[in-house]
mmCIF file of all heavy atoms in Angstrom:
data_model
loop_
_atom_site.group_PDB
_atom_site.id
_atom_site.type_symbol
_atom_site.label_atom_id
_atom_site.label_comp_id
_atom_site.label_asym_id
_atom_site.label_seq_id
_atom_site.Cartn_x
_atom_site.Cartn_y
_atom_site.Cartn_z
ATOM 1 N N VAL A 424 27.473 -11.280 22.254
ATOM 2 C CA VAL A 424 26.396 -10.389 21.805
ATOM 3 C C VAL A 424 25.142 -11.183 21.430
ATOM 4 O O VAL A 424 25.193 -12.107 20.641
ATOM 5 C CB VAL A 424 26.856 -9.558 20.585
ATOM 6 C CG1 VAL A 424 25.746 -8.573 20.185
ATOM 7 C CG2 VAL A 424 28.134 -8.805 20.902
ATOM 8 N N THR A 425 24.013 -10.733 21.974
ATOM 9 C CA THR A 425 22.712 -11.243 21.543
ATOM 10 C C THR A 425 21.924 -10.071 20.979
ATOM 11 O O THR A 425 21.866 -9.010 21.604
ATOM 12 C CB THR A 425 21.944 -11.845 22.735
ATOM 13 O OG1 THR A 425 22.754 -12.858 23.315
ATOM 14 C CG2 THR A 425 20.603 -12.452 22.296
ATOM 15 N N LEU A 426 21.344 -10.270 19.815
ATOM 16 C CA LEU A 426 20.599 -9.201 19.155
ATOM 17 C C LEU A 426 19.135 -9.556 19.177
ATOM 18 O O LEU A 426 18.752 -10.648 18.711
ATOM 19 C CB LEU A 426 21.135 -9.023 17.731
ATOM 20 C CG LEU A 426 20.649 -7.812 16.945
ATOM 21 C CD1 LEU A 426 21.648 -7.401 15.889
ATOM 22 C CD2 LEU A 426 19.329 -8.117 16.265
ATOM 23 N N LEU A 427 18.299 -8.681 19.710
ATOM 24 C CA LEU A 427 16.862 -8.976 19.811
ATOM 25 C C LEU A 427 16.073 -8.115 18.824
ATOM 26 O O LEU A 427 16.216 -6.887 18.828
ATOM 27 C CB LEU A 427 16.397 -8.656 21.240
ATOM 28 C CG LEU A 427 17.145 -9.360 22.363
ATOM 29 C CD1 LEU A 427 16.706 -8.827 23.731
ATOM 30 C CD2 LEU A 427 16.938 -10.872 22.272
ATOM 31 N N GLU A 428 15.286 -8.753 18.013
ATOM 32 C CA GLU A 428 14.540 -8.036 16.968
ATOM 33 C C GLU A 428 13.086 -8.399 17.049
ATOM 34 O O GLU A 428 12.730 -9.585 17.075
ATOM 35 C CB GLU A 428 15.115 -8.389 15.583
ATOM 36 C CG GLU A 428 14.254 -8.014 14.397
ATOM 37 C CD GLU A 428 13.896 -6.549 14.316
ATOM 38 O OE1 GLU A 428 14.829 -5.713 14.386
ATOM 39 O OE2 GLU A 428 12.684 -6.212 14.213
ATOM 40 N N LYS A 429 12.192 -7.399 17.061
ATOM 41 C CA LYS A 429 10.762 -7.688 17.215
ATOM 42 C C LYS A 429 10.163 -8.354 15.962
ATOM 43 O O LYS A 429 9.245 -9.131 16.056
ATOM 44 C CB LYS A 429 9.987 -6.411 17.530
ATOM 45 C CG LYS A 429 9.773 -5.458 16.363
ATOM 46 C CD LYS A 429 9.038 -4.179 16.740
ATOM 47 C CE LYS A 429 7.539 -4.243 16.540
ATOM 48 N NZ LYS A 429 7.119 -4.344 15.144
ATOM 49 N N ASN A 430 10.701 -8.000 14.769
ATOM 50 C CA ASN A 430 10.093 -8.550 13.537
ATOM 51 C C ASN A 430 10.666 -9.932 13.186
ATOM 52 O O ASN A 430 11.680 -10.337 13.746
ATOM 53 C CB ASN A 430 10.329 -7.590 12.376
ATOM 54 C CG ASN A 430 9.512 -6.315 12.532
ATOM 55 O OD1 ASN A 430 8.360 -6.355 12.995
ATOM 56 N ND2 ASN A 430 10.087 -5.168 12.212
ATOM 57 N N GLY A 431 10.005 -10.579 12.260
ATOM 58 C CA GLY A 431 10.426 -11.951 11.885
ATOM 59 C C GLY A 431 11.553 -11.940 10.858
ATOM 60 O O GLY A 431 12.014 -13.011 10.446
ATOM 61 N N MET A 432 11.965 -10.768 10.420
ATOM 62 C CA MET A 432 13.062 -10.661 9.427
ATOM 63 C C MET A 432 13.984 -9.554 9.882
ATOM 64 O O MET A 432 13.549 -8.517 10.349
ATOM 65 C CB MET A 432 12.427 -10.286 8.063
ATOM 66 C CG MET A 432 13.474 -10.126 6.968
ATOM 67 S SD MET A 432 12.739 -9.491 5.447
ATOM 68 C CE MET A 432 11.817 -10.899 4.904
ATOM 69 N N PRO A 433 15.311 -9.744 9.726
ATOM 70 C CA PRO A 433 16.245 -8.675 10.106
ATOM 71 C C PRO A 433 16.252 -7.547 9.052
ATOM 72 O O PRO A 433 15.771 -7.753 7.946
ATOM 73 C CB PRO A 433 17.601 -9.382 10.135
ATOM 74 C CG PRO A 433 17.478 -10.521 9.220
ATOM 75 C CD PRO A 433 16.023 -10.944 9.245
ATOM 76 N N GLY A 434 16.815 -6.430 9.434
ATOM 77 C CA GLY A 434 17.004 -5.348 8.417
ATOM 78 C C GLY A 434 16.241 -4.077 8.715
ATOM 79 O O GLY A 434 16.485 -3.041 8.121
ATOM 80 N N GLY A 435 15.270 -4.143 9.649
ATOM 81 C CA GLY A 435 14.509 -2.936 9.988
ATOM 82 C C GLY A 435 13.879 -2.330 8.767
ATOM 83 O O GLY A 435 13.191 -3.031 7.985
ATOM 84 N N ARG A 436 14.128 -1.061 8.556
ATOM 85 C CA ARG A 436 13.487 -0.342 7.459
ATOM 86 C C ARG A 436 13.936 -0.878 6.097
ATOM 87 O O ARG A 436 13.385 -0.520 5.067
ATOM 88 C CB ARG A 436 13.760 1.142 7.593
ATOM 89 C CG ARG A 436 12.874 1.808 8.649
ATOM 90 C CD ARG A 436 13.475 3.107 9.131
ATOM 91 N NE ARG A 436 12.535 3.956 9.854
ATOM 92 C CZ ARG A 436 12.310 3.904 11.161
ATOM 93 N NH1 ARG A 436 12.910 2.989 11.897
ATOM 94 N NH2 ARG A 436 11.486 4.748 11.752
ATOM 95 N N ALA A 437 14.959 -1.701 6.073
ATOM 96 C CA ALA A 437 15.442 -2.297 4.805
ATOM 97 C C ALA A 437 15.032 -3.758 4.665
ATOM 98 O O ALA A 437 15.787 -4.567 4.102
ATOM 99 C CB ALA A 437 16.954 -2.138 4.710
ATOM 100 N N ARG A 438 13.824 -4.096 5.143
ATOM 101 C CA ARG A 438 13.358 -5.467 4.946
ATOM 102 C C ARG A 438 12.851 -5.623 3.500
ATOM 103 O O ARG A 438 12.781 -4.674 2.749
ATOM 104 C CB ARG A 438 12.221 -5.774 5.918
ATOM 105 C CG ARG A 438 12.680 -5.894 7.367
ATOM 106 C CD ARG A 438 11.508 -6.164 8.277
ATOM 107 N NE ARG A 438 10.518 -5.114 8.156
ATOM 108 C CZ ARG A 438 9.203 -5.283 8.299
ATOM 109 N NH1 ARG A 438 8.707 -6.474 8.618
ATOM 110 N NH2 ARG A 438 8.350 -4.266 8.182
#
Side-chain angles (χ1 to χ4, degrees):
V424 183
T425 304
L426 189 154
L427 305 173
E428 165 58 51
K429 76 182 266 293
N430 291 321
M432 179 187 288
R436 282 159 164 88
R438 290 179 303 149

